[in-house]
Amino acid sequence: MIEKKIKRIKKGGTLVLFPKESCEYQENFDYMFENSIEINETLTGDTIHEIARIINSKELEQLILIDYIDSYGILLPLIKGKTNVKLIFTSSVANFTNTFVLNNFKKIINFYNFNLIKKIGCFDYNLYITLKKAKYRVEYIMPDIKINKTKPIKSSDIAIIGNDYDPNNNYYNMLSALKLVDYKRVKVRITQPVTQSFINLFDIKAENIEDDRKLQLNNELNLYVNFTNSNISKILKSMDSGIPCIVGNVEMFDDNEFLKKMLVVKGDDNINDIASKIDAVRKNKKLIIEEYLKFRKKYSKKAETQFKKFMK
């Protein structure tokens, strides 16, 4: 039960709560915070009141909530004392085309307007800039993870590491681009029947891999050419493992012209551009990884600086 986990938190410490819907970012939370707890159950009113009682008794320095669930609306007014309450929003402005995401964000802004949260952290740079211009107390958080290097193996596999149910993930353009290059197999995760139909229709040599780790690792390269912001930890994990990751709309390589040229697709919906990047990565893989190792050190330093600003 979540109450028991919260009771283990040291008095005066920091507690992070995140809903199961945000678990794809758990590696980020675990790296950034000592105490991050997933809310993987439906919380009753009595449970929420007990959680609030425990939090108040701990006299926490900071309570950090991730994204939005309805339980926050009951919990936040119950938090007393000097606990500094903040919220991290992991989604992007582009995802506001999804009314569910937009409505949740509106509720977060209401929390802020009623002074129930003191500061907002954004994983998406564009949302950060938008809120900053509107005079909100906001900080940009550059997602980071622990570097777990794995010894690369020789492989000819390509993997698509996004999902096939969100149109913003650009899945079918990545599959289509493979018809323009030489490849032996593409590793995918199929959750929608239409994806399998598409693969069959165009005779794409694909294998369904359900395990996330097996999908991402031991490949020649990974494709993550999203229309909107990506889960940066997926890119870092791929590159840390010596596997170049071709990406779409991300800002993380903006300060490195070589990596931006090699890895960032200019036209996300241009399958010729995706195919050209695949060929370029194959020719320059060693140089890409060497440059990335230098980039990675700078990235982590910047991420640490941004995180400290949020925690102030």
Side-chain angles (χ1 to χ4, degrees):
M1 294 176 66
I2 188 171
E3 305 98 294
K4 291 182 179 179
K5 293 179 180 178
I6 296 174
K7 284 180 180 178
R8 300 190 192 111
I9 305 299
K10 293 180 180 178
K11 192 170 184 177
T14 294
L15 170 63
V16 178
L17 297 176
F18 65 93
K20 61 183 178 181
E21 292 81 6
S22 304
C23 65
E24 67 173 303
Y25 298 98
Q26 183 170 356
E27 200 165 355
N28 299 123
F29 308 145
D30 290 344
Y31 181 72
M32 293 188 294
F33 303 104
E34 183 179 353
N35 301 304
S36 59
I37 298 175
E38 178 184 352
I39 303 173
N40 57 8
E41 58 189 277
T42 301
L43 301 180
T44 65
D46 287 344
T47 300
I48 295 170
H49 277 76
E50 177 61 12
I51 289 172
R53 186 194 67 77
I54 298 169
I55 290 173
N56 290 332
S57 70
K58 294 286 184 179
E59 298 178 354
L60 297 178
E61 180 181 354
Q62 301 203 54
L63 170 63
I64 297 175
L65 304 177
I66 308 297
D67 293 327
Y68 174 86
I69 52 174
D70 289 339
S71 298
Y72 293 167
I74 303 173
L75 176 65
L76 285 172
L78 299 173
I79 302 302
K80 308 299 181 184
K82 297 181 180 180
T83 299
N84 195 358
V85 183
K86 300 173 183 177
L87 187 141
I88 296 175
F89 190 66
T90 63
S91 196
S92 69
V93 172
N95 284 330
F96 288 167
T97 54
N98 182 325
T99 54
F100 179 77
V101 176
L102 178 59
N103 287 334
N104 282 349
F105 183 71
K106 288 179 179 178
K107 293 170 185 175
I108 290 169
I109 293 301
N110 283 336
F111 291 157
Y112 180 95
N113 290 337
F114 282 102
N115 206 32
L116 295 173
I117 56 176
K118 307 299 183 184
K119 186 184 289 187
I120 299 172
C122 299
F123 275 10
D124 177 46
Y125 185 76
N126 291 324
L127 180 57
Y128 158 69
I129 290 296
T130 302
L131 291 176
K132 186 177 180 181
K133 291 290 185 181
K135 306 299 183 183
Y136 286 90
R137 292 184 296 275
V138 61
E139 294 292 348
Y140 173 52
I141 298 176
M142 296 171 61
D144 202 0
I145 58 173
K146 181 180 179 182
I147 299 177
N148 288 315
K149 293 182 180 179
T150 57
K151 189 175 181 180
I153 66 170
K154 191 171 183 179
S155 173
S156 58
D157 287 339
I158 294 174
I160 298 177
I161 60 175
N163 67 65
D164 66 342
Y165 53 82
D166 182 352
N168 285 324
N169 274 231
N170 198 25
Y171 214 82
Y172 301 122
N173 276 328
M174 287 185 279
L175 285 171
S176 299
L178 294 173
K179 300 298 290 184
L180 306 180
V181 298
D182 291 328
Y183 76 104
K184 291 184 178 180
R185 179 180 73 155
V186 59
K187 293 156 64 176
V188 296
R189 177 180 294 153
I190 300 171
T191 67
Q192 306 298 308
V194 67
T195 305
Q196 187 62 62
S197 297
F198 186 92
I199 288 169
N200 294 342
L201 179 64
F202 291 100
D203 193 27
I204 296 169
K205 296 170 284 188
E207 181 177 347
N208 186 31
I209 307 290
E210 294 186 1
D211 182 87
D212 192 57
R213 181 177 175 81
K214 291 180 180 178
L215 176 70
Q216 291 190 45
L217 299 181
N218 299 330
N219 303 317
E220 180 184 18
L221 59 91
N222 289 330
L223 296 177
Y224 197 32
V225 188
N226 290 10
F227 285 127
T228 183
N229 76 311
S230 303
N231 183 338
I232 300 300
S233 63
K234 288 181 180 289
I235 302 170
L236 294 173
K237 186 180 293 185
S238 175
M239 299 293 293
D240 289 348
S241 302
I243 304 170
C245 188
I246 297 173
V247 298
N249 182 30
V250 297
E251 297 88 10
M252 65 182 294
F253 296 125
D254 281 357
D255 294 333
N256 189 299
E257 286 300 321
F258 178 74
L259 292 179
K260 186 175 182 178
K261 179 181 178 181
M262 289 290 109
L263 299 174
V264 180
V265 175
K266 293 181 180 179
D268 299 0
D269 59 348
N270 186 334
I271 65 172
N272 290 292
D273 198 1
I274 298 172
S276 295
K277 284 288 186 286
I278 293 173
D279 289 335
V281 165
R282 283 172 165 165
K283 293 175 183 176
N284 298 279
K285 185 174 181 178
K286 184 179 178 181
L287 290 175
I288 290 170
I289 296 303
E290 288 176 352
E291 183 63 27
Y292 172 77
L293 292 176
K294 292 182 283 187
F295 161 86
R296 185 66 164 96
K297 293 179 181 178
K298 295 178 181 178
Y299 179 90
S300 287
K301 286 182 180 179
K302 287 183 180 179
E304 183 180 7
T305 299
Q306 293 298 131
F307 178 67
K308 287 179 177 177
K309 287 181 180 179
F310 173 73
M311 294 299 288
K312 283 184 178 179

